[in-house]
């Protein structure tokens, strides 16, 4: 009987083994020999930026870097051992000081498992065994019960080890993480390189950082890139991860770096790692070589940009020496080609304090698209053309410039009484009354001295819709993020409608003024301004710009629904402002041999700057729009100086800046023409 039982058991065992070998043998063999293909993307340097003349603006500076690659079979203990060894070689003091308290507590638990276990009471462990507390809850109790003394016991080299361990653990398996790429000394780089065999996963390589060749010039518009420590911003993580980015990839976080991230980021190198089921790498294959990001050629002329910024700084410091300018702290200038929308200079400066409390001048070019102001009479060209379009006035129509006495309102007048004038004269001398009577007619009103002035408030919509055709009160479409549209005044009264017509109600950005005057200068096309002229393949080996990938073409956003003769008449009025008789800018521009045209602006406004105690203080905003030459415009300009002075008079900083900027543009143009001419003559002589 015993023999029979043994026989049966052996028979069952043999049958089972046979089944496993014959029926499931292949499956087990495949499982044992199973491999996994894991593709890793290695980042590449970003594309560069050049100005319109080929001068490099933003470059990449090579950096020595130390990296760590976590393999799938790597244990926590092995990572800590490598981190401890590396901490003895490299200096991570700065990073160690930034390690959050929570990370220090996590590290303490790893290093003191028994003490951590003792922080849970027997009763709590009983609840855990009864599955009334889970691992997460137990861990939280341990974290909460770690004392400050225990946390502070992690110091010195141990804290550096923790900082390095955090870097090790910050990314995905098989993806290199940067441990240190700033201030890596030659000695650190050499010692780490020599000890790679004793530092599993650690490697040395060459990394990069952004270099801004012209310092702070245009810096706020060029934008910033995140650090390798920060990686992708949390709010954008999902979007970038879906596009094959890694968590610690550096990405553009503002302005051009952000707007053209897809172009500048480049094509990562792809490496396929074949691993077995334990995570051990069996083979590595390069799928595709990395390719540096494409380059941007900007429309900006950096020589001109620097000159414009210097002019703004000099005139602002000079103005600050005069009385009533305590609140003056910023100024803006935009230069653009009125026919193509290419922005030649986008300059802004702001007075502030550095970390030591010293008064300094900072770059604020971004304010050209992110801040808006009452700009005053500079918009009167749009008011006249709106008057033509609505039939409120005709070219050559005359009005009596006289003080307006409206019932229950203060007397309203131009800065001087001009008598009977036509539309050209109204632009030349900047008559407020002419504009007011135009908009009164537009709103179906009838001015009678000392009588109420009922108006059709739909004229607000008519005016704003017309102004938007020039780019006023609407986004210009410039290729930068975060452009604002300005603020339309919320209330509707007869007086506010009159103020709207002279630029003292709604607010506009400096870039909107540049688009507005360009629309008049080019004969009625609202051109989209842009900062990128070309997208090119990376620079070639001979340091020449790479082939063009895309050339940005001029884009007409809309055509003014107005007669060409009307626009020419306003162009003439603008010419008279700067070149004829008592035009408001004649004393500044008549002597200019490039024959400019334009319109000055002065707006009564209220301070809304950083000095909270002064907010609401009455101030004067100054502006200037211009184009030159008047008969064949090649450049358009907008100048805005908010809060230029308090009181009834102050420095004409808008005109001072404007004249010097246009001089700089045409002087630079002549210098380059002379240089080309001399070069040609030299070649002919040879």
């Amino acid at each position: 009987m015993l023999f029979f039982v043994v026989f049966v058991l052996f028979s069952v065992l043999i049958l089972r083994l046979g089944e496993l070998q014959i029926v499931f043998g292949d499956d087990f063999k495949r499982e044992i020999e199973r491999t996994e293909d894991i593709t890793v993307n290695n980042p590449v340097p970003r594309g560069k930026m050049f100005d319109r003349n080929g001068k490099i603006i933003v470059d990449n500076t090579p950096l020595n870097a130390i990296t760590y690659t976590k393999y799938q079979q790597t244990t926590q203990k092995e990572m800590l051992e490598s981190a401890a060894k590396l901490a003895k070689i490299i200096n991570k003091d700065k990073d160690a000081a930034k390690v959050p308290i929570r990370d220090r507590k996590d590290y303490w638990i790893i290093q003191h498992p028994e003490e951590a276990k003792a922080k849970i009471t027997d009763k709590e462990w009983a609840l855990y065994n009864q599955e009334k507390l889970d691992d997460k809850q137990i861990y939280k109790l341990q974290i909460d019960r770690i004392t400050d003394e225990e946390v502070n016991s992690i110091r010195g080299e141990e804290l550096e080890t923790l900082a390095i361990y955090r870097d090790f653990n910050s990314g995905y398996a098989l993806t290199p993480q940067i441990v240190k790429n700033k201030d890596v000394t030659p000695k650190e780089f050499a010692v780490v390189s020599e000890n790679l065999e004793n530092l599993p996963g650690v490697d040395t390589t060459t990394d990069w950082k952004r270099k801004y060749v012209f310092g702070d010039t245009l810096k706020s518009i060029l934008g910033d890139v995140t650090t390798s420590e920060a990686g992708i911003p949390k709010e954008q993580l999902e979007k970038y991860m879906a596009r094959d980015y890694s968590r610690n990839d550096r990405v553009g976080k503002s302005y051009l770096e952000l707007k053209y991230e897809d172009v500048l980021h480049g094509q990562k190198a792809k490496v396929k790692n074949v691993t077995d089921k334990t995570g051990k790498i069996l083979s590595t294959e390069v799928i595709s070589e990395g390719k540096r990001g494409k380059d941007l050629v900007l429309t900006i002329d950096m020589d001109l940009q620097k000159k414009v910024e210097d002019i703004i700084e000099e005139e602002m410091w000079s103005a600050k020496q005069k009385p009533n300018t305590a609140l003056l702290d910023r100024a803006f200038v935009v230069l653009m080609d009125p026919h193509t929308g290419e922005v030649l200079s986008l300059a802004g400066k702001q007075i502030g304090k550095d970390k030591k409390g010293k008064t300094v001048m900072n770059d604020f070019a971004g304010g050209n698209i992110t801040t808006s102001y009452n700009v005053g009479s500079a918009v009167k060209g749009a008011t006249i053309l709106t008057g033509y379009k609505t039939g409120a006035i005709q070219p050559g129509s005359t009005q009596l410039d006289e003080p307006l006495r409206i019932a229950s309102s203060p007397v309203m007048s131009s800065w001087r009484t001009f008598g009977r004038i036509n539309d050209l004269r109204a632009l030349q001398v900047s008559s407020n009354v002419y504009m007011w009577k135009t908009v009164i007619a537009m709103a179906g009103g009838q001015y009678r001295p000392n009588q109420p002035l009922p108006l059709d408030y739909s004229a607000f919509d008519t005016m704003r819709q017309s102004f938007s055709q020039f780019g006023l009160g609407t986004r210009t479409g410039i290729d930068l993020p975060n452009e604002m549209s300005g603020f339309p005044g919320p209330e509707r009264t007869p007086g506010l409608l009159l103020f709207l017509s002279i630029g003292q109600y709604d607010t506009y950005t400096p870039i909107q003024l540049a688009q507005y005057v360009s629309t008049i200068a080019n004969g009625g096309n609202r051109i989209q301004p842009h900062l990128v002229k070309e997208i090119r393949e990376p620079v070639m080996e001979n340091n020449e710009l790479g082939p063009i990938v895309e050339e940005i073409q001029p884009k007409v956003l809309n055509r003014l629904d107005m007669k060409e003769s009307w626009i020419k008449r306003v162009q003439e009025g603008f010419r008279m402002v700067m070149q004829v008789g008592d035009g408001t800018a004649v004393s500044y521009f008549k002597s200019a041999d490039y024959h400019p045209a334009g319109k000055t602006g002065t707006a009564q406004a209220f301070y809304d700057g950083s000095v909270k105690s002064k907010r609401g203080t009455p101030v004067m905003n100054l502006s200037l729009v211009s184009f030159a030459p008047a008969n064949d415009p090649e450049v358009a300009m907008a100048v805005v100086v908010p809060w230029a002075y308090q009181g009834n008079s102050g420095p004409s900083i808008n005109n001072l800046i404007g004249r010097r900027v246009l001089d700089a543009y045409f002087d630079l143009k002549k210098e380059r023409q002379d240089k080309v001419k001399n070069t040609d003559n030299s070649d002919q002589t040879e």
Side-chain angles (χ1 to χ4, degrees):
M1 182 63 69
L2 180 61
F3 175 82
F4 179 74
V5 170
V6 171
F7 173 78
V8 170
L9 290 175
F10 269 99
S11 298
V12 171
L13 179 60
I14 292 169
L15 288 172
R16 181 58 179 161
L17 287 174
E19 180 187 28
L20 290 176
Q21 284 186 314
I22 298 170
V23 179
F24 298 107
D26 289 341
D27 291 340
F28 280 110
K29 185 178 180 181
R30 281 194 295 268
E31 178 63 22
I32 293 171
E33 297 177 353
R34 178 175 62 87
T35 61
E36 186 176 2
D37 294 348
I38 300 176
T39 301
V40 178
N41 296 321
N42 294 324
V44 293
R46 291 175 74 80
K48 302 179 182 182
M49 297 187 200
F50 299 82
D51 86 338
R52 65 186 300 111
N53 300 309
K55 289 187 176 181
I56 192 161
I57 303 174
V58 183
D59 202 351
N60 298 310
T61 299
L63 296 173
N64 285 334
I66 297 166
T67 66
Y68 178 79
T69 302
K70 178 183 176 182
Y71 298 102
Q72 290 175 312
Q73 73 271 25
T74 304
T75 65
Q76 191 179 70
K77 181 181 178 181
E78 290 170 337
M79 291 171 65
L80 282 169
E81 288 175 353
S82 291
K85 291 177 183 177
L86 192 57
K88 296 179 184 298
I89 301 173
I90 67 173
N91 187 347
K92 288 276 283 186
D93 285 342
K94 293 180 181 178
D95 292 335
K98 299 176 184 177
V99 175
I101 296 297
R102 174 55 192 262
D103 287 342
R104 299 186 189 203
K105 290 184 176 183
D106 290 333
Y107 179 79
W108 186 90
I109 290 176
I110 294 172
Q111 296 294 81
H112 304 85
E114 293 302 321
E115 292 94 327
K117 186 176 181 180
K119 290 186 178 292
I120 304 302
T121 66
D122 291 340
K123 183 178 179 180
E124 288 164 343
W125 280 122
L127 292 172
Y128 175 76
N129 292 329
Q130 297 169 22
E131 298 185 354
K132 293 182 179 180
L133 287 177
D134 58 23
D135 291 327
K136 188 175 181 181
Q137 291 170 315
I138 290 291
Y139 194 78
K140 186 178 185 304
L141 289 172
Q142 291 174 319
I143 289 290
D144 293 341
R145 291 168 184 173
I146 296 174
T147 66
D148 292 342
E149 183 180 354
E150 289 168 332
V151 169
N152 294 331
S153 68
I154 305 171
R155 60 169 66 94
E157 194 171 286
E158 190 176 18
L159 195 55
E160 286 190 73
T161 298
L162 170 55
I164 294 171
Y165 174 74
R166 287 181 72 244
D167 291 335
F168 283 6
N169 222 16
S170 62
Y172 295 112
L174 301 179
T175 301
Q177 307 297 315
I178 292 175
V179 177
K180 185 175 181 180
N181 63 353
K182 294 179 182 177
D183 305 320
V184 177
T185 67
K187 182 179 179 181
E188 287 177 334
F189 193 79
V191 173
V192 172
S193 299
E194 291 170 1
N195 288 275
L196 293 180
E197 290 185 3
N198 300 319
L199 297 167
V202 177
D203 199 0
T204 52
T205 186
T206 300
D207 195 31
W208 55 269
K209 72 172 182 178
R210 282 311 228 183
K211 177 183 178 182
Y212 300 91
V213 178
F214 290 86
D216 288 337
T217 300
L218 203 64
K219 178 67 171 60
S220 63
I221 288 298
L222 298 174
D224 288 313
V225 177
T226 61
T227 63
S228 56
E229 292 87 356
I232 299 173
K234 286 184 179 179
E235 62 275 11
Q236 297 175 311
L237 185 60
E238 186 176 338
K239 178 184 76 172
Y240 281 121
M241 294 296 285
R243 290 156 55 189
D244 219 15
Y245 280 65
S246 300
R247 288 178 181 272
N248 66 332
D249 278 350
R250 282 159 285 182
V251 298
K253 65 179 182 178
S254 61
Y255 294 104
L256 285 175
E257 293 277 17
L258 172 60
K259 180 69 176 180
Y260 288 93
E261 168 63 27
D262 290 347
V263 174
L264 294 167
H265 187 69
Q267 181 180 332
K268 292 182 176 183
K270 290 191 175 184
V271 178
K272 183 172 74 172
N273 294 301
V274 180
T275 66
D276 62 18
K277 69 175 184 177
T278 66
K280 181 181 178 181
I281 295 179
L282 302 176
S283 65
T284 299
E285 177 187 355
V286 177
I287 299 176
S288 63
E289 297 288 345
K291 187 177 182 181
R292 181 173 67 76
K294 294 181 176 62
D295 296 332
L296 299 181
V297 177
L298 306 187
T299 61
I300 296 289
D301 182 329
M302 287 304 286
D303 292 334
L304 179 61
Q305 177 76 19
K306 286 179 63 66
K307 288 178 182 293
V308 172
E309 290 191 8
D310 289 344
I311 290 167
I312 294 174
E313 288 195 23
E314 290 167 9
E315 292 299 337
M316 284 185 69
W317 288 132
S318 176
K320 291 291 285 183
Q321 304 305 311
K322 297 178 172 59
N324 304 323
T325 60
L327 298 178
L328 168 63
D329 75 340
R330 64 193 63 188
F332 307 97
V333 174
V334 181
L335 289 175
M336 62 185 283
D337 185 324
H339 302 286
T340 66
E342 293 182 1
V343 178
L344 307 175
S345 174
L346 191 71
K349 289 291 179 177
Q350 182 177 29
I351 297 173
K353 300 285 187 181
D354 64 12
K355 294 179 180 179
K356 297 180 180 179
K358 181 182 177 182
T359 301
V360 294
M361 190 82 73
N362 296 315
D363 177 64
F364 194 32
N368 283 288
I369 69 167
T370 61
T371 61
S372 64
Y373 310 93
N374 299 121
V375 298
S377 301
V379 306
K380 287 178 177 175
T383 301
I384 291 293
L385 284 165
T386 303
Y388 294 157
K389 182 180 177 181
T390 59
I393 57 173
Q394 300 294 325
S397 293
T398 61
Q399 306 272 11
L400 180 62
D401 185 299
E402 59 182 334
L404 298 186
R405 293 177 170 83
I406 302 170
S408 303
S409 299
V411 176
M412 301 169 62
S413 63
S414 301
W415 63 278
R416 197 179 87 198
T417 300
F418 296 102
R420 186 158 291 278
I421 57 175
N422 67 7
D423 47 347
L424 293 182
R425 177 71 174 157
L427 289 172
Q428 179 189 17
V429 297
S430 198
S431 166
N432 286 343
V433 174
Y434 193 97
M435 307 301 151
W436 291 335
K437 289 189 173 181
T438 297
V439 81
I440 288 171
M442 193 185 307
Q446 184 69 42
Y447 169 69
R448 295 185 181 86
N450 302 311
Q451 297 296 313
L453 183 62
L455 298 176
D456 181 354
Y457 291 160
S458 66
F460 275 97
D461 300 324
T462 302
M463 288 281 289
R464 286 169 175 157
Q465 185 177 13
S466 178
F467 276 30
S468 70
Q469 288 191 34
F470 297 87
L472 296 172
T474 187
R475 291 182 178 85
T476 64
I478 190 170
D479 51 342
L480 289 172
N482 304 321
E483 181 187 8
M484 73 176 305
S485 59
F487 295 103
E491 299 180 16
R492 297 192 174 201
T493 68
L496 295 175
L497 180 59
L498 302 189
F499 284 129
L500 175 62
S501 70
I502 61 170
Q504 295 198 166
Y505 189 40
D506 290 359
T507 64
Y508 310 112
T509 64
I511 191 68
Q512 287 175 1
L513 279 189
Q515 190 179 58
Y516 149 72
V517 73
S518 293
T519 303
I520 291 175
N522 67 35
N525 292 321
R526 182 165 78 99
I527 304 290
Q528 179 177 344
H530 57 99
L531 283 163
V532 173
K533 182 180 177 68
E534 298 166 346
I535 298 172
R536 288 178 175 260
E537 293 290 353
V539 172
M540 296 186 288
E541 292 182 1
N542 56 3
N543 287 326
E544 290 184 4
L545 289 173
I548 294 178
V549 175
E550 181 182 356
E551 187 172 3
I552 309 303
Q553 299 297 326
K555 183 177 180 180
V556 178
L557 299 178
N558 62 265
R559 169 78 186 171
L560 293 182
D561 185 19
M562 299 171 184
K563 294 181 181 179
E564 185 178 344
S565 60
W566 296 349
I567 299 171
K568 287 186 177 297
R569 190 163 180 85
V570 170
Q571 290 174 346
E572 172 61 16
F574 277 21
R575 186 190 70 83
M576 293 169 64
V577 168
M578 292 188 161
Q579 298 186 47
V580 178
D582 56 351
T584 55
V586 162
S587 60
Y588 294 92
F589 289 93
K590 186 176 182 179
S591 61
D593 58 6
Y594 43 80
H595 309 297
K599 185 73 193 73
T600 56
T602 304
Q604 295 176 335
F606 297 97
Y607 177 74
D608 188 30
S610 58
V611 184
K612 294 182 180 180
S613 62
K614 295 293 185 180
R615 288 179 182 172
T617 301
V619 289
M620 291 293 185
N621 294 347
L622 299 180
S623 65
L624 174 70
V625 294
S626 179
F627 55 86
N631 62 336
D632 186 18
E634 63 180 74
V635 64
M637 176 182 69
V639 180
V640 179
V641 187
W643 320 321
Y645 59 84
Q646 297 168 252
N648 295 322
S649 63
S652 296
I653 184 173
N654 56 332
N655 292 317
L656 293 168
I657 290 175
R659 173 60 195 262
R660 290 186 63 190
V661 166
L662 286 181
D663 283 353
Y665 170 84
F666 285 100
D667 287 346
L668 188 60
K669 177 185 175 183
K670 186 175 184 302
E671 287 175 16
R672 287 170 173 165
Q673 289 175 336
D674 289 344
K675 186 176 180 179
V676 171
K677 188 181 299 182
N678 292 335
T679 301
D680 291 343
N681 291 337
S682 176
D683 291 343
Q684 290 175 6
T685 302
E686 291 177 3

